Amino acid sequence: MHEDTNGDGRDSGSAASPRGVEQGDREFLSLERELTVLLRRARANQGEMAREVHPDLESAAYGLLVRLEECGRQRATELAGYIGVGKATMSRQLRALEELGLVAREPDPADGRAWLVDLTEEGRTRVSRVREARRERYVTHFSHWDRQEVAELARLLHQLNRGMEK
């Protein structure tokens, strides 16, 4: 699904190719347009989900909480690498999450200089509640899709995400 970008109700993808674009590149222009819409909506949804977890939670921190729920306790450096931010940004976000009572740090038994970060019970409860509500919305939103189509979309998005890690 994509938004009409020309404002007249026509599918903007059916318009003539922009100047200088090879005919074979139309697929990539369509991909760019659809990803732009998807990412804009994802950012807005992430903000909503973050506020559902805690009204004072920054949008960017929601992904950290999901990662901790899925993978368990981790070092801040692992989280920073996964999210793609620097140590200073990660420290600031983790400090804010600690102040909200959503995460806690504990010394890493394998390295006394390092710390492990994990969800608190409160954090786990809040994140699980929001993720379950989101899953239910996906079930409703995609109810007219065949389950195989949903699985294929998930597979392709996973392939895209893996490719962008490199």
Side-chain angles (χ1 to χ4, degrees):
M1 170 186 238
H2 67 274
E3 293 179 346
D4 169 31
T5 57
N6 61 16
D8 66 3
R10 288 181 296 139
D11 177 358
S12 58
S14 63
S17 292
R19 211 170 303 160
V21 175
E22 296 290 325
Q23 187 66 24
D25 288 342
R26 290 177 79 124
E27 299 86 357
F28 294 100
L29 287 174
S30 293
L31 175 64
E32 188 249 349
R33 179 184 59 244
E34 298 304 331
L35 283 175
T36 299
V37 172
L38 177 67
L39 293 172
R40 184 176 61 240
R41 289 180 178 163
R43 278 190 299 274
N45 285 335
Q46 186 171 356
E48 290 173 21
M49 290 182 288
R51 285 185 297 280
E52 288 176 28
V53 170
H54 193 285
D56 297 329
L57 183 64
E58 287 184 27
S59 174
Y62 179 77
L64 289 173
L65 298 175
V66 169
R67 179 69 174 181
L68 288 169
E69 183 192 42
E70 289 180 348
C71 299
R73 64 187 189 166
Q74 294 182 32
R75 288 184 178 186
T77 53
E78 292 173 311
L79 289 168
Y82 176 77
I83 301 293
V85 298
K87 289 180 189 179
T89 299
M90 182 55 56
S91 290
R92 184 185 58 76
Q93 287 182 343
L94 291 174
R95 212 170 18 260
L97 290 171
E98 277 185 296
E99 289 171 7
L100 295 174
L102 301 173
V103 302
R105 296 184 215 206
E106 61 185 56
D108 184 346
D111 181 352
R113 300 167 297 165
W115 292 85
L116 294 173
V117 181
D118 202 1
L119 292 174
T120 61
E121 277 307 308
E122 178 70 14
R124 191 170 311 287
T125 298
R126 287 175 179 246
V127 171
S128 294
R129 185 183 69 236
V130 170
R131 291 190 79 196
E132 178 58 23
R134 180 60 51 175
R135 187 199 59 79
E136 289 175 12
R137 284 183 229 152
Y138 286 145
V139 168
T140 300
H141 185 78
F142 290 101
S143 64
H144 65 285
W145 284 40
D146 181 276
R147 289 273 177 152
Q148 293 291 43
E149 290 175 322
V150 174
E152 180 65 3
L153 176 60
R155 186 190 70 75
L156 290 170
L157 288 171
H158 177 75
Q159 183 177 333
L160 174 68
N161 287 325
R162 293 292 308 263
M164 294 182 128
E165 287 176 2
K166 297 175 183 171

Coordinates of all heavy atoms in Angstrom, one line a residue, residues 66-74:
V66 N 12.4 -3.6 23.4 CA 12.0 -4.7 22.6 C 13.2 -5.7 22.5 O 13.1 -6.9 22.6 CB 11.5 -4.3 21.2 CG1 11.3 -5.6 20.3 CG2 10.2 -3.6 21.3
R67 N 14.4 -5.2 22.2 CA 15.6 -6.0 22.0 C 15.9 -6.7 23.4 O 16.2 -7.9 23.3 CB 16.8 -5.1 21.7 CG 18.1 -5.9 21.5 CD 18.1 -6.8 20.3 NE 19.4 -7.4 20.2 CZ 19.7 -8.2 19.2 NH1 18.8 -8.5 18.3 NH2 20.9 -8.7 19.1
L68 N 15.8 -6.0 24.5 CA 16.0 -6.7 25.8 C 14.9 -7.7 26.1 O 15.2 -8.8 26.6 CB 16.0 -5.6 26.9 CG 17.3 -4.8 26.9 CD1 17.1 -3.6 27.9 CD2 18.5 -5.6 27.2
E69 N 13.7 -7.5 25.7 CA 12.7 -8.5 25.9 C 12.9 -9.7 25.1 O 12.8 -10.8 25.6 CB 11.3 -7.9 25.5 CG 10.2 -8.9 25.9 CD 8.8 -8.6 25.3 OE1 8.8 -8.1 24.1 OE2 7.9 -8.8 26.0
E70 N 13.4 -9.6 23.9 CA 13.6 -10.7 23.0 C 14.9 -11.4 23.3 O 14.9 -12.7 23.2 CB 13.6 -10.2 21.5 CG 12.3 -9.8 21.0 CD 12.3 -9.3 19.6 OE1 13.4 -9.1 19.0 OE2 11.2 -9.2 19.0
C71 N 15.9 -10.7 23.7 CA 17.3 -11.4 23.8 C 17.8 -11.5 25.2 O 18.8 -12.1 25.5 CB 18.3 -10.6 23.0 SG 17.9 -10.6 21.2
G72 N 17.1 -10.8 26.2 CA 17.6 -10.9 27.5 C 18.7 -9.9 27.8 O 19.0 -9.0 26.9
R73 N 19.3 -10.0 28.9 CA 20.3 -9.0 29.4 C 21.5 -9.0 28.4 O 21.9 -10.0 27.9 CB 20.7 -9.2 30.8 CG 21.4 -10.5 31.0 CD 21.6 -10.7 32.5 NE 22.5 -11.9 32.6 CZ 23.1 -12.2 33.7 NH1 22.9 -11.5 34.8 NH2 23.8 -13.3 33.8
Q74 N 22.0 -7.7 28.2 CA 23.1 -7.5 27.3 C 23.9 -6.4 27.8 O 23.5 -5.5 28.6 CB 22.6 -7.1 25.9 CG 21.8 -8.2 25.2 CD 21.4 -7.8 23.8 OE1 22.0 -7.0 23.2 NE2 20.2 -8.3 23.4

